[in-house]
Amino acid sequence: MNSHLQKIAGFALVAALCACAPARMVREPLPALSAQELAQAQAQQQARETAIAAMPDWALQGRVALSNGRNGGSGGIEWSQRGANYEVALSAPVTRQSWRLSGDAGSARIEGLEGGPRSGSDAQTLLRETTGWEIPVAALSSWVRGARADEGAFGAATLSYAADGRLARLEQGGWTVDYNAWQAAGETGAALPTRLNAERGQARVRLVVDRWEGAAAP
């Protein structure tokens, strides 16, 4: 795909999702936890990640806003994950157009762009080349559930916690992910994020989850 067609495809997707870039988030300072509180928060987070890892099949429905510093858009999102296989659908409420990204650890395909489907070996690279958006799909599959991504691919993560011991901020691979709201855990489930913001430089992803399925959800 030549660069001219890439720009056309990316512009069409951004325009159809509504030209409305999310504003840069102002972060509030996190509380200073005592050694005992920090140890409890770390143990709670480890237990959450263990429960989540035991349930690799999950799905979410919600709303997403994307920005690359120049263009941005918002719309509905449906994400289905079955182990390494994923399918992410974006829909624009005004134009009623939709796009679908699917693949696994070694392949990716995006459908719904002008000029037909595009394929590649990596979802993040494919999205950057076709839309101009920087979205770390592989890492987000962990981050959206409030868990660290694979250190071998994204490096070590730094975690910060709120006063109640829940994960408040995750920094990994140059990205900062802030967690603003959580769904309470059921008797056998784990708490899951319902509002998060991921940011690296001018690239931003905001996600509001309306419904969780699997992923240790209640």
mmCIF file with all atom_site columns, all heavy atoms in Angstrom, residues 39 47-48 71 88 102 116 123 177 210:
data_model
loop_
_atom_site.group_PDB
_atom_site.id
_atom_site.type_symbol
_atom_site.label_atom_id
_atom_site.label_alt_id
_atom_site.label_comp_id
_atom_site.label_asym_id
_atom_site.label_entity_id
_atom_site.label_seq_id
_atom_site.pdbx_PDB_ins_code
_atom_site.Cartn_x
_atom_site.Cartn_y
_atom_site.Cartn_z
_atom_site.occupancy
_atom_site.B_iso_or_equiv
_atom_site.pdbx_formal_charge
_atom_site.auth_seq_id
_atom_site.auth_comp_id
_atom_site.auth_asym_id
_atom_site.auth_atom_id
_atom_site.pdbx_PDB_model_num
ATOM 1  N N   . ALA A 1 39  ? 2.470   -2.859  50.535 1.00 0.00 ? 39  ALA A N   1
ATOM 2  C CA  . ALA A 1 39  ? 2.583   -4.316  50.465 1.00 0.00 ? 39  ALA A CA  1
ATOM 3  C C   . ALA A 1 39  ? 1.227   -4.958  50.242 1.00 0.00 ? 39  ALA A C   1
ATOM 4  O O   . ALA A 1 39  ? 1.095   -5.916  49.464 1.00 0.00 ? 39  ALA A O   1
ATOM 5  C CB  . ALA A 1 39  ? 3.226   -4.845  51.739 1.00 0.00 ? 39  ALA A CB  1
ATOM 6  N N   . ALA A 1 47  ? -2.790  -10.907 43.096 1.00 0.00 ? 47  ALA A N   1
ATOM 7  C CA  . ALA A 1 47  ? -3.921  -11.839 43.109 1.00 0.00 ? 47  ALA A CA  1
ATOM 8  C C   . ALA A 1 47  ? -4.855  -11.560 41.936 1.00 0.00 ? 47  ALA A C   1
ATOM 9  O O   . ALA A 1 47  ? -5.362  -12.497 41.300 1.00 0.00 ? 47  ALA A O   1
ATOM 10 C CB  . ALA A 1 47  ? -4.670  -11.724 44.432 1.00 0.00 ? 47  ALA A CB  1
ATOM 11 N N   . ARG A 1 48  ? -5.071  -10.287 41.606 1.00 0.00 ? 48  ARG A N   1
ATOM 12 C CA  . ARG A 1 48  ? -5.910  -9.920  40.460 1.00 0.00 ? 48  ARG A CA  1
ATOM 13 C C   . ARG A 1 48  ? -5.306  -10.453 39.172 1.00 0.00 ? 48  ARG A C   1
ATOM 14 O O   . ARG A 1 48  ? -6.002  -11.038 38.342 1.00 0.00 ? 48  ARG A O   1
ATOM 15 C CB  . ARG A 1 48  ? -6.039  -8.405  40.337 1.00 0.00 ? 48  ARG A CB  1
ATOM 16 C CG  . ARG A 1 48  ? -6.989  -7.722  41.295 1.00 0.00 ? 48  ARG A CG  1
ATOM 17 C CD  . ARG A 1 48  ? -7.231  -6.271  40.907 1.00 0.00 ? 48  ARG A CD  1
ATOM 18 N NE  . ARG A 1 48  ? -7.808  -6.232  39.575 1.00 0.00 ? 48  ARG A NE  1
ATOM 19 C CZ  . ARG A 1 48  ? -7.129  -5.978  38.457 1.00 0.00 ? 48  ARG A CZ  1
ATOM 20 N NH1 . ARG A 1 48  ? -5.838  -5.753  38.478 1.00 0.00 ? 48  ARG A NH1 1
ATOM 21 N NH2 . ARG A 1 48  ? -7.738  -5.966  37.296 1.00 0.00 ? 48  ARG A NH2 1
ATOM 22 N N   . ASN A 1 71  ? -5.219  14.511  14.628 1.00 0.00 ? 71  ASN A N   1
ATOM 23 C CA  . ASN A 1 71  ? -6.579  14.054  14.368 1.00 0.00 ? 71  ASN A CA  1
ATOM 24 C C   . ASN A 1 71  ? -7.049  13.185  15.526 1.00 0.00 ? 71  ASN A C   1
ATOM 25 O O   . ASN A 1 71  ? -6.254  12.584  16.245 1.00 0.00 ? 71  ASN A O   1
ATOM 26 C CB  . ASN A 1 71  ? -6.630  13.240  13.067 1.00 0.00 ? 71  ASN A CB  1
ATOM 27 C CG  . ASN A 1 71  ? -6.210  14.048  11.861 1.00 0.00 ? 71  ASN A CG  1
ATOM 28 O OD1 . ASN A 1 71  ? -6.714  15.136  11.628 1.00 0.00 ? 71  ASN A OD1 1
ATOM 29 N ND2 . ASN A 1 71  ? -5.257  13.536  11.101 1.00 0.00 ? 71  ASN A ND2 1
ATOM 30 N N   . VAL A 1 88  ? -11.365 -6.699  17.192 1.00 0.00 ? 88  VAL A N   1
ATOM 31 C CA  . VAL A 1 88  ? -11.744 -5.399  17.721 1.00 0.00 ? 88  VAL A CA  1
ATOM 32 C C   . VAL A 1 88  ? -12.565 -4.677  16.661 1.00 0.00 ? 88  VAL A C   1
ATOM 33 O O   . VAL A 1 88  ? -12.089 -4.455  15.546 1.00 0.00 ? 88  VAL A O   1
ATOM 34 C CB  . VAL A 1 88  ? -10.505 -4.561  18.091 1.00 0.00 ? 88  VAL A CB  1
ATOM 35 C CG1 . VAL A 1 88  ? -10.933 -3.248  18.740 1.00 0.00 ? 88  VAL A CG1 1
ATOM 36 C CG2 . VAL A 1 88  ? -9.578  -5.343  19.024 1.00 0.00 ? 88  VAL A CG2 1
ATOM 37 N N   . SER A 1 102 ? -8.581  -7.707  13.297 1.00 0.00 ? 102 SER A N   1
ATOM 38 C CA  . SER A 1 102 ? -8.531  -9.071  13.817 1.00 0.00 ? 102 SER A CA  1
ATOM 39 C C   . SER A 1 102 ? -7.147  -9.647  13.584 1.00 0.00 ? 102 SER A C   1
ATOM 40 O O   . SER A 1 102 ? -6.375  -9.173  12.744 1.00 0.00 ? 102 SER A O   1
ATOM 41 C CB  . SER A 1 102 ? -9.582  -9.949  13.145 1.00 0.00 ? 102 SER A CB  1
ATOM 42 O OG  . SER A 1 102 ? -9.389  -9.995  11.737 1.00 0.00 ? 102 SER A OG  1
ATOM 43 N N   . GLY A 1 116 ? -10.235 -1.253  0.498  1.00 0.00 ? 116 GLY A N   1
ATOM 44 C CA  . GLY A 1 116 ? -10.269 -2.670  0.826  1.00 0.00 ? 116 GLY A CA  1
ATOM 45 C C   . GLY A 1 116 ? -9.445  -3.019  2.049  1.00 0.00 ? 116 GLY A C   1
ATOM 46 O O   . GLY A 1 116 ? -8.784  -2.176  2.650  1.00 0.00 ? 116 GLY A O   1
ATOM 47 N N   . ALA A 1 123 ? -0.288  -5.742  14.562 1.00 0.00 ? 123 ALA A N   1
ATOM 48 C CA  . ALA A 1 123 ? -1.445  -4.852  14.588 1.00 0.00 ? 123 ALA A CA  1
ATOM 49 C C   . ALA A 1 123 ? -1.046  -3.398  14.805 1.00 0.00 ? 123 ALA A C   1
ATOM 50 O O   . ALA A 1 123 ? -1.595  -2.490  14.170 1.00 0.00 ? 123 ALA A O   1
ATOM 51 C CB  . ALA A 1 123 ? -2.413  -5.303  15.684 1.00 0.00 ? 123 ALA A CB  1
ATOM 52 N N   . VAL A 1 177 ? -0.731  4.605   31.718 1.00 0.00 ? 177 VAL A N   1
ATOM 53 C CA  . VAL A 1 177 ? -2.148  4.226   31.739 1.00 0.00 ? 177 VAL A CA  1
ATOM 54 C C   . VAL A 1 177 ? -2.716  4.613   33.105 1.00 0.00 ? 177 VAL A C   1
ATOM 55 O O   . VAL A 1 177 ? -2.224  4.139   34.137 1.00 0.00 ? 177 VAL A O   1
ATOM 56 C CB  . VAL A 1 177 ? -2.338  2.719   31.504 1.00 0.00 ? 177 VAL A CB  1
ATOM 57 C CG1 . VAL A 1 177 ? -3.830  2.381   31.407 1.00 0.00 ? 177 VAL A CG1 1
ATOM 58 C CG2 . VAL A 1 177 ? -1.598  2.268   30.254 1.00 0.00 ? 177 VAL A CG2 1
ATOM 59 N N   . ASP A 1 210 ? -18.568 -0.386  29.147 1.00 0.00 ? 210 ASP A N   1
ATOM 60 C CA  . ASP A 1 210 ? -19.945 -0.507  29.610 1.00 0.00 ? 210 ASP A CA  1
ATOM 61 C C   . ASP A 1 210 ? -20.284 -1.905  30.078 1.00 0.00 ? 210 ASP A C   1
ATOM 62 O O   . ASP A 1 210 ? -21.138 -2.091  30.940 1.00 0.00 ? 210 ASP A O   1
ATOM 63 C CB  . ASP A 1 210 ? -20.906 -0.089  28.496 1.00 0.00 ? 210 ASP A CB  1
ATOM 64 C CG  . ASP A 1 210 ? -20.737 1.376   28.103 1.00 0.00 ? 210 ASP A CG  1
ATOM 65 O OD1 . ASP A 1 210 ? -20.560 2.219   29.002 1.00 0.00 ? 210 ASP A OD1 1
ATOM 66 O OD2 . ASP A 1 210 ? -20.758 1.665   26.885 1.00 0.00 ? 210 ASP A OD2 1
#
